[in-house]
Amino acid sequence: MPAKPPSFRNHIREIQTRYESAIEKLGSKDIRIEAVLLHSGSELVYPYDDAHMPFRSLGHFKHWMPINLADQFVLVRPGKRPVFFEVRKDDFWVDTTAQIDPGFLAPFQVVRVERAEQVLNHLPTQRRIAFLGDSATMAAKLGMPSALINEPNLRNHLDYGRSLKTPWEIQQLRTANEGGVIAHEVAYSAFLEGASEFEIFNRYLEGAGRSELEQPFAPIVCLDEKASILHYQHRRQTSGRNSRVLLLDAGHGCNGYAADITRTHVRETAHPVFQELNVRVALMMHELIAMCKLGQPYETIQNATHDKTLHILRDLGIARGRVEQLKKHKISHLFFPHGIGHSLGIQVHDVGGLFKDDSCVLMPPPEEHRSLRMTRKLEDTMVYTIEPGIYFIPMLLNPERKTPRGKLLNWKLVDQLIPLGGVRHEDDVLITKKGPVNLTAEAAARVLK
C-alpha cells in the first residue's frame, strides 16, 4: 500500500513551532516579539509606465502560503492558529478571481478584505508585531514598530530554519525534479536536431509546461563558447546545427519549490579531450554527492572539488606539473571559479547557507572561496545542489599567458578547448540520517523508463 503523502497541515504545524521557538529565544535576549506579520510583497511598476514588473512572493511568506499573489498577509502568534489575510479588490483591469487551493487554506483562520490597509483593523491590540516584507511603505501603513521591521535576529533564525525541510517540502522538491528531468530531455532532443539556443529555450518551456515567468529562474541555454559564461542570459537564434556543446542549466517548480538541474551534452564532433572532460566532471559530481553526509562541513566538499579538478586537468593534459605546484598556484581556481552548490528550496539560491550553527551566528565564506554560498555543516533534511564545473573562460585565462602561473598550462590545448566553453553538471541532494539522496537521479529513475 503506497505511503500517505506528506500533509501540508503538518508542515504548517512544524513551522509554527519554529517561529514560536525563535520568538522565545529572542525574548531571552530582550528582543520582545508578540507576533509576526508576513507580507507577500507589492507589485512594482516600471518608471513612467503602467506595466508591472514580474512579481514573486517573499520567500518567508511563501513558506506559509505557497502562492504568488501580491499584498497578501500571514499573521503568526505563539499558541494560536495562524491567520491568512486574503486581500481581493474588485478590478476590471486584471483578473482577481484566481482560486487558492483549499488545502492551503485549511490550516488557517482566513480573513478576507478588499484592501491591504484593512488588515490593520484585524491585527491584535498588542503592538510588538514584527514585520517581514520588502515594503517599508506597507509596514508604515500598518503601524509596525520600526525596530521590528525585518528585525535581523528574527530573520537569521527563520533563515536558518528554512534550510531544514519538512516532509511536505521534500515532496514538492521531488515533484519539481521530476518536471525538470522531463524538460531537460525535451531540450536535449532539440539540441540533437540542431536547434538554436532560442529554440532549445522554448522547447524546454514546452517540456516543463510552464511559461518563463512561472519558472523558478530563466533557463540558461549555452551553445559552445557561451558555456563559459556562468549565468549566460541571451538566446541566439542562429542555427545550432554545427554546435558541438550544449550546457543547459534549468529548473522546474512545484508549489513554489525549485529544482535546479544542469547537464552538459557533447557531440562526437567535439575535441576528444573535451568529450572526456564532460565524462569526468559528471563522475566527479557523483563522487562529491557520496561525500555529503551528516556533519560534513560544506567547505570540505568545496576543497575536494578543487582537488579533483586539479587531477582532471593534469590527467587530460590541460595543466602540467606536480600536484603541489598546481595547488600552490591555485590553477583549479582558473577553471572552477564558483562555489560547489547552494541551499535549495523556495528560492533557487535559498537562504540559510551561511551560518556557523543553530546559534544563527553568521559565518561568511573563507577568502579563498568567496563565491561559496554554504558554510554550514550538513544536517538532516537539508536540500542543496552539487554542481562542479570546468570552464575555459578567456577573462580568467588570458592574463596568465605570460606569468609563472600560466607556464603550468598547456596553451595549445587550452586554445583548442576555449571555443567549446565549458562543462557543468548539477543535481539536487537531500541529506538524511542514512546518507545523501540524489533527488534528481531518483526523479530520473521514476520518469525516464
Side-chain angles (χ1 to χ4, degrees), residues 43-54 93:
E43 287 186 301
L44 300 177
V45 177
Y46 289 104
Y48 313 111
D49 201 344
D50 63 355
H52 286 85
M53 298 179 186
W93 289 103

Side-chain angles (χ1 to χ4, degrees), residues 142-154:
L142 297 176
M144 298 293 102
S146 59
L148 294 182
I149 296 175
N150 295 315
E151 203 285 324
N153 296 284
L154 176 64

